[in-house]
């Protein structure tokens, strides 16, 4: 077939329009994916059984929030607060990296104001609070809102006439005299050998580094779900800024305990979260017979 100059121009114009339309659609899809992965909170629920759990605490509900990094999910974090409230928690665990510097504390404060009074709240530091030099600021903020700050310490939480132990391991970025998890665990077991121990520790290395730690349930974050999550593969990046994430999301088991790793809520690296929505985790404890 032969074409006139006008017909060739029309073909080129149509081809250009098709290409631009496809590019615009791809760009829009990419923006939608990134926005969904940044702002659309995913609710995840796990059920964890233990023979050490008292019958009176069967059904005990823990909301686990991690790695906020100064993010706001809704104005003044109102969507995150409302979703936390809907879970009817008996305990709220905050496992570090909530702020990297003093400028991000307003997002943390709005969250604390919203969840204050819902349930006892416990906090452990992450690596970024120490690296950013805002530990004392965030500690003062937490304490103003009634949050229990655990730095290689433990407390007893009582409900319905029964109790469990809540422990918080300090992050390795903290002072050397604070970071002794084995000693803390051994001290707990010496004092309360038969009690259920809930262990909060920001980093997700427990199954690898401390597989025989004498606790029952560990909550951690740090990995951000591998930042980019691929179907059937999982997280793409690890916490050492390399490829291949480990222990980045979900439940893992060692010889003595279960570890749950949250994908977190915010971000601290230039790579955007992709197919990796902010995560609010609820763990329901059940008495095993």
């Amino acid at each position: 077939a032969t074409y006139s100059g006008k017909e060739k121009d029309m073909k080129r114009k149509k081809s250009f329009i098709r290409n631009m339309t496809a590019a615009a659609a791809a760009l829009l899809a990419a923006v939608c994916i990134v926005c969904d992965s940044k702002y659309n909170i995913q609710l995840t629920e796990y059920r964890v059984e233990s023979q050490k759990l008292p019958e009176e605490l069967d059904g005990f509900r823990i909301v686990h929030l991690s790695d906020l990094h100064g993010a706001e999910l809704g104005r003044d974090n109102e969507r995150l607060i409302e979703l936390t409230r809907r879970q009817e928690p008996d305990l709220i665990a905050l496992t570090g990296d909530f702020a990297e510097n003093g400028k991000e504390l307003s997002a943390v404060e709005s969250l604390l104001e919203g969840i204050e009074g819902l349930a006892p709240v416990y906090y452990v530091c992450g690596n970024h609070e120490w690296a950013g030099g805002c530990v004392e600021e965030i500690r003062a903020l937490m304490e103003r809102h009634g949050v229990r700050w655990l730095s290689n310490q433990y407390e007893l939480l009582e409900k319905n006439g029964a109790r469990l132990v809540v422990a918080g391991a300090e992050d390795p970025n903290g002072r050397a005299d604070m970071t002794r998890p084995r000693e803390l665990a051994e001290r707990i077991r010496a004092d309360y050998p038969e009690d259920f121990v809930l262990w909060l520790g920001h980093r997700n290395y427990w199954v690898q580094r401390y597989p025989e730690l004498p606790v029952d349930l560990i909550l951690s974050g740090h990995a951000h779900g591998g930042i980019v999550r691929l179907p059937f593969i999982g997280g793409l990046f690890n916490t050492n800024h390399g490829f291949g994430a480990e222990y980045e999301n979900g439940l893992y088991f060692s010889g003595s305990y279960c570890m749950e790793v949250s994908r977190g809520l915010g971000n601290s690296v230039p790579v955007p979260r992709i197919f990796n929505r902010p995560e609010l985790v609820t763990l329901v404890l059940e008495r095993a017979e």
Side-chain angles (χ1 to χ4, degrees), residues 76 81 85 106 108-117 145:
D76 295 328
I81 293 165
R85 182 180 294 114
S106 60
V108 180
E109 183 161 25
S110 64
L111 172 61
L112 297 181
E113 288 175 350
I115 65 175
E116 187 173 1
H145 290 279

Side-chain angles (χ1 to χ4, degrees), residues 190-201:
D191 294 340
Y192 301 97
E194 302 301 326
D195 284 60
F196 184 94
V197 178
L198 172 65
W199 182 275
L200 311 182

